[in-house]
Structure formats: C-alpha cells, structure tokens
Amino acid sequence: MGHTNATSWRGFVFLGFFSFGELQLLLFALFLSLYLITLTSNIFIIAVTRMDSHLHTPMYLFLSFLSFSETCYTLGIIPRMLSSLVMGVQTISYVGCAAQMFFSASWSCTNCFLLAVMGFDRYMAICAPLHYASHMNPTLCAQLVGTSFLSGYLFGLGMTLVIFHLPFCSSHEIQHFFCDTPPVLSLACGDTGLSELGILILSLLVLLVSFSFITISYTYILAAILRIPSAEGQKKAFSTCASHLTVVIVHYGCASFVYLRPKATYSLERDQLVAVTYTVVTPLLNSVVYSLRNQAVRRALRNAFRGRLLGKE
C-alpha cells in the first residue's frame, strides 16, 4: 500500500481492529449487542416522548432531539465498524472519508450544544419556576434546537475543511476504525501546525462555550437547591438534574481528551480505546440513563403497555 503523491490520492484504508486477530468476532458480538441496545433505547425515547402527552414539555423535547442526534451519530460510524470486524481491512474513498468526518463531527458538536440547552432548561425550571412555562415557550424551544443543529453543522464543516484542504502524500492507512480528525490529520504531509491550531480553536469554541453555559447554569441551580429548607426538597430538585449531569461528565470528558491535545500526544492503542468509549459506550450510557433511570419515561412506558393490554382486552 506504501506511498502515493497528492495528485493520485483516492482513498484510505482502515486498520483499526486489524491487530486484534481472533478477538474480532468477540468484539463484533459485544459491540453489536451494545449498539442494538443503544438504538432501541433512543428509538424508544423518541417514540414515547411523542406519544405520551405528559412528556410534551421542553425537557423531553430536548431529550428526544438529543436521542435523534445520538442515533444519527452512531449510524455514521458503528455499522461500518461492525462490518470491518467481520470483513477485516476496509477501504473508504476520499470523499466518503470527508463525508463521514463531516457528519460525525457535526452530530458530536450538536450533542454538545443540546446538552448546554438542556442545562439552561434545568436552570429555568429550578431557578425561575413561576416563569418557566412562559419563557420556555414552543417558539424559544424551536429556536434553541434549530440553533444547536445549525451550529453543529457549521462547526463540523469547519473541522472537515481544515483537515481536507491538506495534501495527503504519505501512507493512506488510517490506524483507526473511522475518519476521526486526529488519525486523518496524522496522515497529512507538510506543515500541519496551522491545521492543528484550527482544530484546537474550533474544538475549544464548541467544548468550552457549551460547557461554560452548563457550568453557569448549574452554579445557579446549586445555589437555588441549597436555599431549599428541607432535605427532601433538595433531593427532589437535584434528582431532575442527575441524569443530565452524568451524561455531561462522560461526554465532555471523552471529547476533551480527544480534541483538546496536540498531535504529538496521539497514541494508537489509547486513542482507539477512548474512541470506542465515545462512539459505543457514551451513546449507550446516554440512552440507558435517560430511558431506564428517568421516572417519567418509565411511567410513560408502563402506561403504554397498560394501554395496549387494555386495548387487547
């Protein structure tokens, strides 16, 4: 496979799990099981928030869009990853790699912005409950969701352009299982300093801006909870934020490790482990935390099954 020049460049080869040998089938079974659980949970969240009128609130509207975004993100990565575990080394065209990077980066950025919006929603619900219904109206909710998706697409496009304006004139073997920015950037020839700086700036804008909104929201939320006189009231107020906080910690922890560090610190084995975490485990955690640990969603599920049983009778 060797080397080629920039003018004859046509595609890339994934070598992500090539060194795992006989473990590939075991990994395939494991990742397929986790993915099916994630996909089922996200579809369930989207469906139940649409069908149950009790969940027609801003919080569950944002949750359904987060589930939709997570589903789109995993669809662009995991099916190809699973096929590579069964079929071995896989190729992807230059355009296909750019498209995969654009969509994965876009959905990942969208998730960050949606998590920030959900933090703002919790702030309004706890810190300004009397004005919550009037302020978090359908128009504002639609604007927040639309801004999150549009911003995600713009940042995804920016990251893709920063990478793919470079000439790729060294090995075209990607030591990864999808076209993520760090492994593709490592294949570029020439001086990549400006591109690394561009990726860092874009990543900082996405992660730090959205995380700052979440931090500010939870600072006010914590202050409001501490003013509640009863321990039971404090526990009830905090329980509405627990799922969101869990997802935020894992999501931003993995994203910061991958994108907020210099090219010189890239490590094949470590980066693949982290990539598996944020492409397979984190979406699973998001869906399970919100579908199984959320009392309102569980109640909606019970009502749906009860209604179906009564309908059959």
Side-chain angles (χ1 to χ4, degrees):
M1 289 182 242
H3 300 269
T4 185
N5 58 44
T7 58
S8 64
W9 193 263
R10 289 294 179 268
F12 302 92
V13 179
F14 292 125
L15 299 179
F17 297 103
F18 184 69
S19 61
F20 283 76
E22 296 179 355
L23 289 176
Q24 290 187 17
L25 290 180
L26 179 62
L27 290 174
F28 170 81
L30 174 62
F31 293 158
L32 177 61
S33 300
L34 295 178
Y35 179 56
L36 290 177
I37 295 172
T38 302
L39 193 61
T40 302
S41 299
N42 280 326
I43 293 174
F44 160 71
I45 290 173
I46 295 171
V48 78
T49 53
R50 291 290 182 270
M51 293 186 300
D52 194 313
S53 59
H54 297 94
L55 300 182
H56 293 174
T57 63
M59 174 182 175
Y60 293 101
L61 170 70
F62 298 140
L63 174 58
S64 65
F65 277 107
L66 178 65
S67 297
F68 173 75
S69 180
E70 288 279 18
T71 300
C72 293
Y73 174 72
T74 55
L75 278 173
I77 297 174
I78 298 183
R80 177 179 282 275
M81 180 189 75
L82 292 172
S83 66
S84 69
L85 284 167
V86 175
M87 300 171 60
V89 176
Q90 271 201 338
T91 60
I92 187 170
S93 67
Y94 181 89
V95 174
C97 187
Q100 187 183 52
M101 180 179 292
F102 165 69
F103 286 112
S104 61
S106 296
W107 292 118
S108 181
C109 293
T110 299
N111 291 343
C112 290
F113 295 127
L114 286 174
L115 287 171
V117 167
M118 293 172 75
F120 173 72
D121 173 73
R122 292 300 82 207
Y123 158 76
M124 290 298 300
I126 294 174
C127 299
L130 297 179
H131 303 287
Y132 179 75
S134 60
H135 287 172
M136 297 300 293
N137 54 67
T139 300
L140 178 60
C141 292
Q143 290 173 345
L144 291 172
V145 171
T147 301
S148 297
F149 277 82
L150 178 60
S151 300
Y153 295 150
L154 291 176
F155 277 102
L157 179 62
M159 291 182 180
T160 305
L161 292 176
V162 166
I163 298 292
F164 280 89
H165 86 282
L166 295 169
F168 294 94
C169 48
S170 61
S171 170
H172 59 294
E173 297 172 348
I174 300 179
Q175 301 291 335
H176 210 51
F177 54 87
F178 76 104
C179 288
D180 202 4
T181 51
V184 176
L185 179 60
S186 67
L187 299 182
C189 62
D191 184 10
T192 61
L194 286 178
S195 295
E196 290 181 54
L197 180 60
I199 291 295
L200 180 61
I201 291 173
L202 290 172
S203 301
L204 282 171
L205 285 173
V206 173
L207 295 173
L208 293 187
V209 170
S210 57
F211 189 72
S212 295
F213 275 104
I214 294 173
T215 303
I216 293 170
S217 297
Y218 273 100
T219 299
Y220 284 102
I221 288 171
L222 180 60
I225 290 176
L226 292 177
R227 288 196 297 268
I228 298 175
S230 67
E232 184 64 27
Q234 291 180 349
K235 181 179 178 181
K236 184 178 180 180
F238 183 77
S239 66
T240 66
C241 307
S243 298
H244 180 253
L245 271 177
T246 301
V247 171
V248 164
I249 291 171
V250 176
H251 182 87
Y252 281 89
C254 291
S256 299
F257 178 83
V258 172
Y259 297 107
L260 300 184
R261 60 198 176 97
K263 178 181 174 182
T265 63
Y266 296 164
S267 166
L268 170 61
E269 294 79 8
R270 183 181 57 194
D271 287 4
Q272 280 192 323
L273 178 61
V274 175
V276 168
T277 301
Y278 70 77
T279 56
V280 180
V281 179
T282 300
L284 172 67
L285 176 65
N286 294 357
S287 58
V288 169
V289 163
Y290 276 114
S291 60
L292 300 182
R293 293 185 58 82
N294 187 289
Q295 293 183 1
V297 174
R298 293 204 307 270
R299 190 183 307 115
L301 177 62
R302 289 195 298 269
N303 292 338
F305 276 116
R306 189 180 298 117
R308 179 165 293 185
L309 289 174
L310 291 174
K312 288 182 179 180
E313 292 175 359

